[in-house]
Amino acid sequence: MTVIESKVTLKRPVAEVYTFLADCNNHEQLMPENVSGWSSTRDEARFTIQNMASLALKVESRMENREVVFVPSERAPFDVTLRWQVQPDGEYQTQARLTIEAELNMMMKMVAAKPLQKLADFQVEKLRAVLG
């Protein structure tokens, strides 16, 4: 199992950050430019990563003001879980962490680990830009 993490501190209450992350419709704002064909509902998102693959992710679980877990809703190139965790850091500040857990063989790890880390870092920075 390959585990990739990135985290950020936001000047927003935990409930506000959780509410944003719990809705798949908001995640389009966190995607890099090489993502296209976005369609989503509150519980599922479909998109294409340029020159790579089409993905469909769904919310597997939500724990209010704590965690939102996304898993593939269709066959994916490898098993992957995206886990957003939030926790209060004072009254008006929140720590948000994105963890990507991927089942990668050695060959896939060599190819995919760096882009997955880049994606995680990009998404937390976009979250900071959107929510501050």
Side-chain angles (χ1 to χ4, degrees):
M1 173 77 64
T2 300
V3 178
I4 293 162
E5 283 190 351
S6 194
K7 59 185 172 179
V8 65
T9 301
L10 304 164
K11 292 180 173 133
R12 299 285 180 129
V14 71
E16 188 176 335
V17 178
Y18 171 82
T19 299
F20 179 88
L21 292 171
D23 187 342
C24 286
N25 292 309
N26 294 326
H27 285 261
E28 183 177 15
Q29 298 174 60
L30 306 180
M31 292 294 166
E33 290 180 9
N34 66 338
V35 169
S36 63
W38 183 274
S39 68
S40 60
T41 65
R42 176 169 159 52
D43 298 320
E44 188 171 358
R46 296 172 178 277
F47 54 93
T48 301
I49 301 171
Q50 188 177 23
N51 300 324
M52 287 185 68
S54 293
L55 291 175
L57 297 174
K58 67 178 179 180
V59 174
E60 180 182 62
S61 65
R62 291 183 180 96
M63 292 175 56
E64 189 170 356
N65 296 337
R66 293 189 56 208
E67 180 179 76
V68 183
V69 179
F70 298 90
V71 296
S73 60
E74 297 175 355
R75 190 169 180 272
F78 48 86
D79 289 339
V80 64
T81 301
L82 283 78
R83 185 180 314 274
W84 279 99
Q85 295 171 306
V86 294
Q87 67 181 54
D89 185 15
E91 195 172 340
Y92 297 105
Q93 199 160 281
T94 299
Q95 293 281 334
R97 174 185 298 136
L98 172 59
T99 304
I100 301 173
E101 301 163 353
E103 284 292 336
L104 302 174
N105 63 34
M106 286 304 290
M107 201 61 172
M108 284 294 288
K109 188 172 183 171
M110 289 171 45
V111 172
K114 195 175 269 189
L116 287 173
Q117 182 66 60
K118 190 174 176 181
L119 175 65
D121 294 343
F122 183 88
Q123 287 199 308
V124 298
E125 284 306 313
K126 285 293 277 189
L127 185 64
R128 181 196 318 263
V130 171
L131 295 182

